[in-house]
Amino acid sequence: MAILLLLAAAIIVACVIFQTISSRLGVPSLLAYILLGMLFGSDGLIKIPFDDYILAEQICSIALIFIMFYGGFSTKWREARPVALKAGLLSSLGTLFTAGLVGLFCWLALRMDILESFLIGAVISSTDAASVFSILRSRRLNLKDNAASLLEIESGSNDPFSYMLTVILLSLMGSNTAPGGFAYAVFAQLAYGAAFGVVIAVLATAFLRRFHFAADGFCAVFLVATALLAYAAPTAVGGNGYLSAYLAGILLGNAKIPSKSVLVNFFDGVTGMMQMLLFFTLGLLAFPSSLPAIAPIALLIALFLTFVARPAAVFAILSPFRCSIRQRLLVSWAGMRGAASIVFAIMVTVDPTSTSYDIYHIVLTIVLFSILLQGSLIPPVARMLRITDPSADVMKTFTDYTDEVQIRFIQFAIPPVHPWAGLTVAELPLPPDTLLVLVQRGHERTVPNGATVVLPGDMLVLSGKASVKIDGVRLYEKVLEPGDDLIGKTPAELTENDRLIMMICRDGGIVIPNGNTTFNENDVLVMNETGNS
């Protein structure tokens, strides 16, 4: 046991070190995890014997549940809503279109069996959420025209469709499904997957709002159980568990539930660990000595997928929306293959249906090609296409919950007539547990001491103790979109006793409202709600 724990610790530390090195080199860290797995595997230097595809499928499927759930949980719906239709079509019709084109290429150009050709197309038809999220976050890739949200929604939601296509092709190859049963299986995948995801999210949200845990950690544990339930419940009745987990993640991530900042930090760590586990396991399962034999076929499929099938699907779907050529080119290039494709390839390998080709190593090679070429070049391609936006912030497209605010500093100016004007810092009647940390006088900034005199016009910055959680104080952002009933009103006109507008973000500035401040369209209100509802 001690040896296994030492080995596990060494692997995790190695993954963390490789992640740091790969980030500096501009190479996606997920590629480093796979290569590290190969290094430890049967053909590597460490030579850990591992060829248990069934165990690997179980490990990777569990890891993929959390990656899918957090893919939805971390997507900010307010930023994603303008591109939701385009992303939805890309994730559904685009996945089907990509799988069909790759299948035709394998059948007509590579002379594979027709069903096996389309099976390969189905397995590699989805883009990888973990890879896309990792690159957007780590490289702080700020994109124009909501392109980041488009990529996030598409990559997070197309895995369930790829999974469904894979299951359908395996059923056809097994010849054990009647036409009526086949139609019902498709219905069950979509209907049960969507219904369970929505219902579980609604029930979990209601539970979290009504019951308060003694510690924030129990809230995180509850959501872990929710993610597992969202996958397992529909899967037990023939539904699409990945679709359910993703939908549950979106609804919970965008709901008003307590301790969101704690949950985001928790799931950041969990998902990072799951990515390490998943990609390392996939590398450990691989036999590099098998790659040269299938490399020609795999590279031909990868080239066709990257330069023909993916762009054709993107242009066919986005052209009616009059998206710019630059955006379509970037979305085409950013369609990386990743974890889900390899997990589905393992599923094909363990299925009783026999195949003529080593689909696992074919797909692994395609993923390595995709992550290395596309993943490494996404930032320079975005800059070359001039689709980056220095004024944007890609982190705003993730629910990292700056909307649950913890106020630590207070800044205000001393007007000409104020009781503090002319007093030294030692004489100021500061509130308990606060400290004057900065005095700005014109362009001069001073760290004050007790003898510093406060003058009219000074800008003071006070610091105060910010609790992680205060019962009864829950701060959220609300954007006043066109048609909102608050537009044109003032705080004095609000009748709710459980809501207080504390701050307004307006045109890049901050407004502290008084009773006569008028709310404008596009204002971002920071409000405290008691959470009694």
Side-chain angles (χ1 to χ4, degrees):
M1 176 61 73
I3 299 297
L4 290 176
L5 292 177
L6 285 173
L7 182 61
I11 290 171
I12 293 172
V13 170
C15 285
V16 173
I17 294 173
F18 270 56
Q19 192 273 339
T20 303
I21 296 173
S22 63
S23 296
R24 292 179 178 177
L25 296 176
V27 178
S29 58
L30 308 180
L31 176 64
Y33 303 154
I34 292 180
L35 296 179
L36 188 64
M38 291 181 175
L39 182 67
F40 276 77
S42 300
D43 282 356
L45 296 178
I46 310 300
K47 297 188 180 303
I48 298 176
F50 184 72
D51 59 355
D52 191 336
Y53 283 89
I54 295 177
L55 177 60
E57 182 194 19
Q58 294 170 345
I59 293 173
C60 294
S61 295
I62 294 173
L64 196 58
I65 293 170
F66 290 100
I67 292 173
M68 290 291 298
F69 178 81
Y70 189 56
F73 193 86
S74 64
T75 299
K76 184 173 289 187
W77 180 247
R78 172 160 52 86
E79 299 291 333
R81 184 166 51 190
V83 296
L85 178 59
K86 291 184 285 187
L89 291 174
L90 277 175
S91 66
S92 54
L93 294 181
T95 301
L96 179 61
F97 193 15
T98 301
L101 288 177
V102 172
L104 287 173
F105 175 76
C106 293
W107 178 43
L108 298 176
L110 302 182
R111 303 298 181 183
M112 294 183 176
D113 175 77
I114 184 169
L115 288 179
E116 192 166 345
S117 297
F118 284 99
L119 178 63
I120 292 176
V123 167
I124 63 171
S125 59
S126 68
T127 57
D128 187 60
S131 301
V132 171
F133 288 10
S134 174
I135 290 173
L136 291 178
R137 285 175 178 264
S138 63
R139 306 300 293 275
R140 297 301 291 261
L141 199 56
N142 305 320
L143 303 175
K144 296 179 180 178
D145 304 326
N146 289 319
S149 293
L150 178 62
L151 291 171
E152 291 158 22
I153 291 287
E154 184 214 2
S155 63
S157 60
N158 56 15
D159 289 343
F161 291 96
S162 177
Y163 173 78
M164 183 178 69
L165 291 176
T166 302
V167 171
I168 290 172
L169 264 298
L170 287 174
S171 298
L172 289 176
M173 293 176 70
S175 300
N176 56 1
T177 304
F182 175 79
Y184 174 77
V186 175
F187 167 80
Q189 282 279 309
L190 296 175
Y192 295 162
F196 273 93
V198 172
V199 171
I200 289 173
V202 170
L203 292 176
T205 301
F207 181 87
L208 289 172
R209 286 178 175 175
R210 181 174 295 273
F211 298 99
H212 299 283
F213 296 104
D216 290 333
F218 288 103
C219 188
V221 172
F222 176 79
L223 278 195
V224 168
T226 300
L228 295 174
L229 178 64
Y231 172 82
T235 302
V237 294
N240 194 317
Y242 294 116
L243 176 62
S244 175
Y246 179 73
L247 288 177
I250 281 188
L251 294 174
L252 280 163
N254 290 273
K256 292 182 178 180
I257 56 178
S259 306
K260 279 185 175 178
S261 58
V262 175
L263 293 174
V264 167
N265 291 333
F266 172 79
F267 276 105
D268 267 339
V270 168
T271 306
M273 178 67 77
M274 291 300 168
Q275 289 176 5
M276 292 180 188
L277 174 64
L278 190 153
F279 283 92
F280 179 85
T281 302
L282 297 176
L284 189 68
L285 186 64
F287 287 83
S289 59
S290 301
L291 298 182
I294 53 84
I297 291 177
L299 290 176
L300 286 174
I301 297 173
L303 290 170
F304 180 83
L305 172 65
T306 303
F307 295 102
V308 180
R310 169 68 177 180
V314 170
F315 272 72
I317 290 172
L318 295 187
S319 294
F321 293 96
R322 298 181 180 179
C323 298
S324 67
I325 294 292
R326 294 174 181 176
Q327 186 185 56
R328 281 177 276 175
L329 288 172
L330 179 68
V331 173
S332 298
W333 184 257
M336 292 181 295
R337 313 298 128 168
S341 296
I342 308 180
V343 173
F344 300 155
I346 296 176
M347 186 174 72
V348 170
T349 303
V350 302
D351 191 88
T353 303
S354 61
T355 55
S356 303
Y357 291 86
D358 185 356
I359 289 182
Y360 175 76
H361 284 94
I362 288 176
V363 172
L364 178 64
T365 303
I366 294 171
V367 169
L368 290 173
F369 173 89
S370 179
I371 294 178
L372 181 60
L373 180 66
Q374 294 172 270
S376 301
L377 295 181
I378 285 178
V381 166
R383 289 191 294 269
M384 181 185 68
L385 293 172
R386 298 195 299 277
I387 199 171
T388 56
D389 184 2
S391 64
D393 185 0
V394 69
M395 301 308 291
K396 290 184 178 180
T397 65
F398 297 98
T399 46
D400 281 336
Y401 297 108
T402 53
D403 53 341
E404 187 171 317
V405 183
Q406 297 176 14
I407 298 176
R408 294 180 174 86
F409 297 98
I410 301 174
Q411 177 178 284
F412 59 93
I414 299 297
V417 179
H418 191 276
W420 288 12
L423 298 181
T424 65
V425 172
E427 298 171 331
L428 297 180
L430 296 176
D433 295 325
T434 60
L435 179 68
L436 180 58
V437 295
L438 185 69
V439 175
Q440 181 171 338
R441 188 169 295 157
H443 296 290
E444 180 183 358
R445 293 181 175 88
T446 302
V447 177
N449 56 39
T452 302
V453 178
V454 175
L455 301 178
D458 285 351
M459 183 70 70
L460 307 186
V461 178
L462 298 181
S463 70
K465 183 171 62 175
S467 174
V468 174
K469 180 179 179 182
I470 300 176
D471 289 338
V473 177
R474 296 172 57 193
L475 303 185
Y476 294 96
E477 287 183 357
K478 175 180 175 63
V479 179
L480 297 188
E481 298 177 344
D484 195 291
D485 59 0
L486 289 180
I487 295 175
K489 292 185 178 181
T490 65
E493 297 177 82
L494 300 182
T495 58
E496 294 91 339
N497 294 324
D498 60 350
R499 181 168 66 173
L500 173 67
I501 311 299
M502 301 181 63
M503 184 174 71
I504 302 174
C505 301
R506 177 181 294 168
D507 299 328
I510 299 296
V511 176
I512 302 299
N514 57 39
N516 298 319
T517 303
T518 301
F519 301 128
N520 298 336
E521 185 176 307
N522 296 322
D523 279 352
V524 180
L525 309 184
V526 178
M527 61 182 67
N528 175 33
E529 294 183 345
T530 62
N532 292 326
S533 57

